[in-house]
Amino acid sequence: MSLADIRREYLGEPLSESDSDPDPFRQFGRWFEQVRGLEVDPTAMALATATRDGRPSVRNVLLKGFDDRGFVFYTNYDSRKAGELAANPRA
């Protein structure tokens, strides 16, 4: 079996700036509502953090909410992820 054999088609309209909401969180909300019933776990997301010196690390977390302040997920405050966020809050 080839990896090309398991590829799926991603259907939908192309992303157009004129059709997009200028507020990124409202736009995300529109997209989230579109996939809620289609994806097995629409709350799964990749979170990338970096150490103070810029070494990246990526892991999967679950989205618990979002608003105009950002995205909410839960983590162990003693984890490497939490330490990286404390040292470099950009994720």
Side-chain angles (χ1 to χ4, degrees):
M1 174 178 57
S2 164
L3 291 180
D5 294 335
I6 60 172
R7 184 183 183 287
R8 70 177 179 166
E9 289 297 321
Y10 292 91
L11 305 174
E13 297 297 317
L15 180 60
S16 164
E17 188 173 344
S18 63
D19 294 333
S20 298
D21 194 303
D23 181 297
F25 294 105
R26 282 197 310 253
Q27 181 62 50
F28 176 81
R30 285 172 45 188
W31 286 335
F32 188 77
E33 286 305 314
Q34 289 174 355
V35 301
R36 268 180 78 176
L38 303 174
E39 294 296 325
V40 175
D41 191 347
T43 66
M45 63 182 202
L47 174 73
T49 58
T51 60
R52 194 179 307 268
D53 63 348
R55 183 176 299 269
S57 178
V58 179
R59 79 279 292 148
N60 292 319
V61 296
L62 297 177
L63 179 66
K64 297 298 180 184
F66 67 95
D67 60 25
D68 60 351
R69 295 170 296 167
F71 297 97
V72 177
F73 62 91
Y74 296 126
T75 189
N76 178 340
Y77 286 118
D78 295 323
S79 69
R80 184 181 78 195
K81 172 182 22 176
E84 290 174 357
L85 285 169
N88 179 359
R90 294 185 178 104

